Amino acid sequence: MSPAGGSHRHHVVVIGSGFGGLTATHELRSADVDVTMIARTTHHLFQPMLYQVATGIISEGEIAPATRVVLRKQRNAAVVLGDVEHIDLQRQVVKSRLLERVTETPYDSLIIAAGANQSYFGNDHFAEFAPGMKTIDDALELRGRILGAFEQAELSDDPAEQARLLTFVVIGAGPTGVELAGQIAEMSDKTLKGTFHNIDPTKARVILLDAAPAVLPPMGQKLGKKAAERLEEMGVEIQLNAMVVDLDYDGITVKEKDGTTRRIECQCKVWSAGVAASPLGSDLADQSDVELDRAGRVKVLPDLSIPGQPNVFVVGDMMAVDGVPGQAQGAIQGGRYAAKAIEAGLAGKSPQERAPFKYWDKGSMATISRFAAVAQIPIPGTKKVIETEGFLAWIGWLFLHLIYIVGFRNRLATTIDWLFAFSTPNRSQLVVTEQQVYARTALGQLQQISSRRRNADAVEIPPVTTADADRDTGVESTTTADKDDAPDAETQAS
Ligand SMILES: Cc1cc2nc3c(=O)[nH]c(=O)nc-3n(C[C@H](O)[C@H](O)[C@H](O)COP(=O)(O)OP(=O)(O)OC[C@H]3O[C@@H](n4cnc5c(N)ncnc54)[C@H](O)[C@@H]3O)c2cc1C
């Protein structure tokens, strides 16, 4: 079936609106193709700044522009909201679900950029008490948990309970953990100082804990040590070689290297210890010769396609390619490469003629606190790496991240929020709503109800094709005609 309700152009389906998916879609803007981007959120998310949403520096809108608006000017692109449940490689169809509505979208070429989820290393029940840091929901919930703990401590007159409420544990000392621990410490010491009557927020304990023996292991010993020193100056307790073996509402149990265990009483915990690639990788492996690595990432061929399917590409955090880290640049460059390979195919180039994907390592950075960051920048054409830390690295971090935020208005709003947050003790985004605090429990219950309903339903819900969706469901169409009717407006794509 034609994907675009009558159009016979080559149809590219892109799964995911993150760095890989959005870049691939944008890259195809002038190609003679129709593109359908299917994602489970209505926004593109700039994950590297989620910790700033969680700690009240910026608002969620600044890092999560609506993809529909970002792509408004791209005539050959349509957006479909839905959770992709299955990719049928034989029929070349992507099956997605929005609530009870199932949609089937056929493809000629497919780019899968569904990213990664938090991994609890087989202890998925930890998620209830220690949310990860992957989505806007996670960041807002964490903001609610941090500020909620201070509020509860203010009302308590039991010193032990107060101590538990004012102990914050960040599990995982990678870049996200370092950034979060630094910001929770800074928020307690500066923003919340003097705002309570019964507690002193500056006495809050922030613990950064990891089973590994070092902070920021991917950035090397020197920078890891610098980051640890700076965090300790800020009062963050660093506990290494400490593995979390159990976790509940009131605290965590940690196993030391010598096998002994101990308990940390703490209400607010956040998990930034590991990632597992999207389960869509195993969906591919079930139907083809695709192999996965230990993190569930797809071992792609040198042209980022999968064995036996030269028209199916896997990019970003879902792909396993030697020397390519799970970072934004890997996804951006992979998305761009896949889009170009599809265009080259339309121009008559065979898959065998594709040059292998080559990653350009532009370096890594992590902020620690205001005015302090660490950065590792490879010198092009050599094996040398510049390692820097402190104020210069921090300015570099701010500048680079500002460039990659999508949309001029978002960049401006972020700059204003930063000026406010870094030149005063205040932060402008300290709102907490009941929905943020209770959302995870409510969503969990909803999912249970919904899956019970589906299991009880003997008759399978018939899938809706994109053409049916045009006709009677209101799901966005992929037709060129629809897109031509769309009002013109300034695109926010950067
Ligand atoms: C807190 C945090 C901080 C980070 N900091 C940095 C940093 O400082 N520098 C850096 O370079 N990298 C950083 N990263 C990593 C970087 O964000 C990722 O490498 C990058 O986002 C990967 O891009 P992607 O397109 O593969 O996946 P993502 O950006 O995660 O996008 C995945 C997309 O797929 C969608 N999706 C997933 N499953 C489905 C499904 N079943 N159906 C439909 N849609 C689906 C999602 O909604 C999303 O739109 C950070 C990541 C996190 C979480």
Side-chain angles (χ1 to χ4, degrees):
M1 191 206 78
S2 164
S7 161
H8 294 285
R9 289 214 289 187
H10 189 92
H11 187 216
V12 183
V13 171
V14 176
I15 302 176
S17 60
F19 285 106
L22 190 63
T23 305
T25 303
H26 195 55
E27 194 69 30
L28 289 164
R29 63 195 176 282
S30 310
D32 188 20
V33 297
D34 286 313
V35 187
T36 302
M37 178 198 275
I38 308 176
R40 61 156 68 121
T41 61
T42 55
H43 54 260
H44 162 73
L45 177 59
F46 191 84
Q47 287 175 344
M49 277 163 56
L50 269 176
Y51 80 95
Q52 296 200 358
V53 174
T55 53
I57 297 176
I58 57 171
S59 78
E60 62 275 21
E62 287 162 40
I63 58 162
T67 24
R68 218 170 264 295
V69 176
V70 171
L71 293 171
R72 176 156 49 190
K73 267 198 167 177
Q74 186 170 331
R75 296 295 191 199
N76 66 348
V79 177
V80 170
L81 178 64
D83 206 326
V84 173
E85 293 182 333
H86 178 53
I87 298 160
D88 189 329
L89 291 173
Q90 209 185 356
R91 290 174 54 225
Q92 300 206 162
V93 162
V94 173
K95 185 176 157 195
S96 60
R97 177 186 291 274
L98 176 61
L99 301 174
E100 296 304 312
R101 188 181 305 278
V102 178
T103 302
E104 287 199 338
T105 310
Y107 63 84
D108 297 308
S109 295
L110 178 64
I111 301 175
I112 310 169
N117 304 318
Q118 210 72 62
S119 167
Y120 289 84
F121 308 114
N123 296 302
D124 288 354
H125 58 287
F126 286 3
E128 190 183 345
F129 307 111
M133 186 49 48
K134 278 276 165 197
T135 63
I136 290 287
D137 280 334
D138 290 339
L140 292 178
E141 182 183 350
L142 182 58
R143 190 197 286 171
R145 286 186 183 214
I146 296 170
L147 294 172
F150 283 103
E151 295 297 340
Q152 289 177 62
E154 170 81 348
L155 296 176
S156 168
D157 45 21
D158 171 0
E161 189 190 24
Q162 274 190 346
R164 179 176 63 79
L165 288 163
L166 292 179
T167 301
F168 300 86
V169 179
V170 179
I171 303 150
T176 303
V178 164
E179 288 168 342
L180 268 171
Q183 282 311 314
I184 298 172
E186 206 167 278
M187 188 154 84
S188 330
D189 268 4
K190 294 198 161 55
T191 313
L192 300 180
K193 185 180 174 181
T195 59
F196 290 89
H197 287 279
N198 298 326
I199 55 162
D200 177 0
T202 68
K203 297 272 185 314
R205 244 181 116 191
V206 183
I207 300 172
L208 177 63
L209 188 144
D210 204 305
V215 170
L216 286 180
M219 298 192 78
Q221 231 181 350
K222 186 179 142 199
L223 292 182
K225 215 166 147 241
K226 288 282 175 199
E229 280 167 13
R230 173 73 192 125
L231 285 170
E232 279 170 345
E233 275 165 31
M234 295 166 68
V236 174
E237 286 175 43
I238 296 174
Q239 302 185 3
L240 302 172
N241 295 310
M243 184 189 284
V244 175
V245 287
D246 201 8
L247 206 147
D248 56 43
Y249 183 81
D250 289 327
I252 62 178
T253 307
V254 173
K255 189 170 155 195
E256 301 287 4
K257 218 176 165 191
D258 62 8
T260 56
T261 57
R262 67 187 159 91
R263 172 115 176 134
I264 304 175
E265 296 297 328
C266 55
Q267 179 162 302
C268 184
K269 320 160 249 302
V270 53
W271 188 270
S272 64
V275 291
S278 159
L280 289 178
S282 38
D283 185 38
L284 297 177
D286 289 345
Q287 309 166 61
S288 66
D289 292 335
V290 159
E291 283 182 45
L292 306 179
D293 72 2
R294 276 177 52 203
R297 296 179 306 168
V298 174
K299 293 185 180 175
V300 287
L301 299 177
D303 65 354
L304 307 189
S305 69
I306 59 171
Q309 309 276 333
N311 58 336
V312 177
F313 300 85
V314 177
V315 305
D317 282 2
M318 271 190 78
M319 70 183 187
V321 178
D322 276 350
V324 184
Q327 289 187 347
Q329 273 304 324
I332 290 170
Q333 293 175 32
R336 194 172 290 143
Y337 174 94
K340 282 194 189 317
I342 292 168
E343 270 198 272
L346 292 176
K349 210 167 173 181
S350 75
Q352 292 72 32
E353 290 175 277
R354 289 176 191 158
F357 170 67
K358 225 170 145 188
Y359 176 62
W360 176 17
D361 184 1
K362 295 186 179 174
S364 310
M365 289 177 150
T367 50
I368 306 160
S369 62
R370 64 174 75 191
F371 314 137
V374 288
Q376 214 174 34
I377 306 147
I379 305 172
T382 72
K383 287 196 169 158
K384 290 189 181 145
V385 174
I386 298 173
E387 291 191 336
T388 174
E389 44 93 21
F391 184 69
L392 261 184
W394 184 73
I395 290 289
W397 187 97
L398 292 186
F399 181 70
L400 273 179
H401 284 72
L402 206 54
I403 291 176
Y404 281 103
I405 290 178
V406 173
F408 173 74
R409 245 183 313 155
N410 286 338
R411 280 186 217 119
L412 187 66
T414 303
T415 309
I416 294 168
D417 278 341
W418 280 352
L419 280 174
F420 183 66
F422 301 138
S423 61
T424 74
N426 300 322
R427 294 169 185 223
S428 48
Q429 307 294 335
L430 295 177
V431 175
V432 177
T433 69
E434 270 190 276
Q435 285 188 8
Q436 285 166 14
V437 177
Y438 299 121
R440 180 177 300 266
T441 317
L443 282 173
Q445 284 166 355
L446 262 179
Q447 267 161 11
Q448 277 173 17
I449 294 167
S450 158
S451 74
R452 269 204 301 270
R453 265 180 61 184
R454 260 184 246 148
N455 291 342
D457 204 349
V459 187
E460 211 189 312
I461 302 153
V464 181
T465 64
T466 44
D468 296 334
D470 283 353
R471 201 171 50 242
D472 58 16
T473 67
V475 173
E476 278 296 304
S477 151
T478 59
T479 62
T480 313
D482 282 356
K483 285 185 286 286
D484 286 344
D485 291 344
D488 224 6
E490 192 199 344
T491 177
Q492 290 192 23
S494 62

